[in-house]
Amino acid sequence: MGYAIAEELAMKGANVSLVSGPVKISANHPNIKVIKVVSALEMYEQCVKIFPQTDGAVMAAAVADFMPDSSSGEKIKRGNSELQIRLVPTKDIAAKLGAIKTGDQILVGFALETNDELDNAQKKLQKKNLDFIVLNSLNDPGAGFDVDTNKITILDKYNNRQNFQLKSKAEVAGDIVARIVELTEKRP
């Protein structure tokens, strides 16, 4: 979804910095600069670094909420006992960008939910200082990961809600970018 949004923004004339984890797809538009990262921490650091120089950000990545508290540079061999991995929270990229966002920037978040979808998305929208949030549910057939389609609901900070039908991710990106353009045109 992030690549589709980057392509749509670039086609509208934007210069896009795309912070991307390891994926099997690539950006094709010359206005897209891809910044590759391999960890949630690297993604956090890159997003915080470049955000102040941007007109906004679309937080489409599904970064894990938790990570192992330590890692090993060597293979951990199988033994006779169980191995327990302690998890710690990852840094919240959207919350950090929401905290440093200026009045001239637009911040869009995503919420992938499996239960209490609207309530959880609304809470995330407010807590992270987003202009709008794109809700998609794993409960909707044809939406989510590993498919070329998505079904979304856009919620904004003014309590407006717009539901969309199942569409290709390129068409969904068009809907999201149209909302960004609409917000940009309303800014003084």
Side-chain angles (χ1 to χ4, degrees):
M1 198 68 248
Y3 276 74
I5 293 167
E7 293 284 345
E8 184 70 21
L9 284 165
M11 286 191 298
K12 298 279 188 206
N15 291 315
V16 179
S17 295
L18 175 61
V19 182
S20 174
V23 294
K24 295 178 184 175
I25 57 176
S26 60
N28 298 314
H29 199 285
N31 285 5
I32 301 174
K33 175 187 172 192
V34 178
I35 302 165
K36 295 203 175 271
V37 298
V38 295
S39 70
L41 181 58
E42 287 179 6
M43 184 169 282
Y44 174 89
E45 290 169 347
Q46 287 298 318
C47 289
V48 171
K49 177 181 172 184
I50 66 174
F51 184 65
Q53 291 81 42
T54 69
D55 294 323
V58 179
M59 307 302 299
V63 177
D65 291 334
F66 292 91
M67 65 183 186
D69 73 340
S70 63
S71 62
S72 174
E74 301 174 358
K75 178 182 177 182
I76 301 171
K77 299 228 182 245
R78 183 184 333 248
N80 292 332
S81 61
E82 291 182 7
L83 176 66
Q84 293 190 14
I85 299 172
R86 184 172 171 266
L87 299 176
V88 295
T90 55
K91 291 186 174 190
D92 190 327
I93 301 169
K96 177 64 176 179
L97 299 188
I100 63 174
K101 177 178 95 161
T102 68
D104 295 335
Q105 291 177 304
I106 294 173
L107 186 57
V108 178
F110 271 64
L112 178 66
E113 300 292 341
T114 56
N115 62 314
D116 298 325
E117 289 97 346
L118 289 171
D119 188 46
N120 287 330
Q122 192 68 40
K123 287 175 184 172
K124 188 175 184 179
L125 172 73
Q126 300 302 321
K127 180 180 177 185
K128 299 180 190 237
N129 192 26
L130 304 173
D131 291 283
F132 68 87
I133 193 162
V134 179
L135 168 63
N136 46 144
S137 170
L138 285 179
N139 295 323
D140 293 326
F145 303 111
D146 296 326
V147 292
D148 290 327
T149 54
N150 206 352
K151 181 180 176 187
I152 65 166
T153 299
I154 294 179
L155 308 167
D156 69 22
K157 63 183 180 181
Y158 304 107
N159 294 320
N160 296 312
R161 181 172 91 190
Q162 185 174 7
N163 298 312
F164 294 86
Q165 296 301 313
L166 185 70
K167 299 179 180 184
S168 73
K169 287 188 177 175
E171 291 172 308
V172 171
D175 294 334
I176 293 166
V177 171
R179 182 61 64 94
I180 292 169
V181 169
E182 181 183 313
L183 282 175
T184 304
E185 291 172 350
K186 288 182 180 179
R187 298 270 163 116

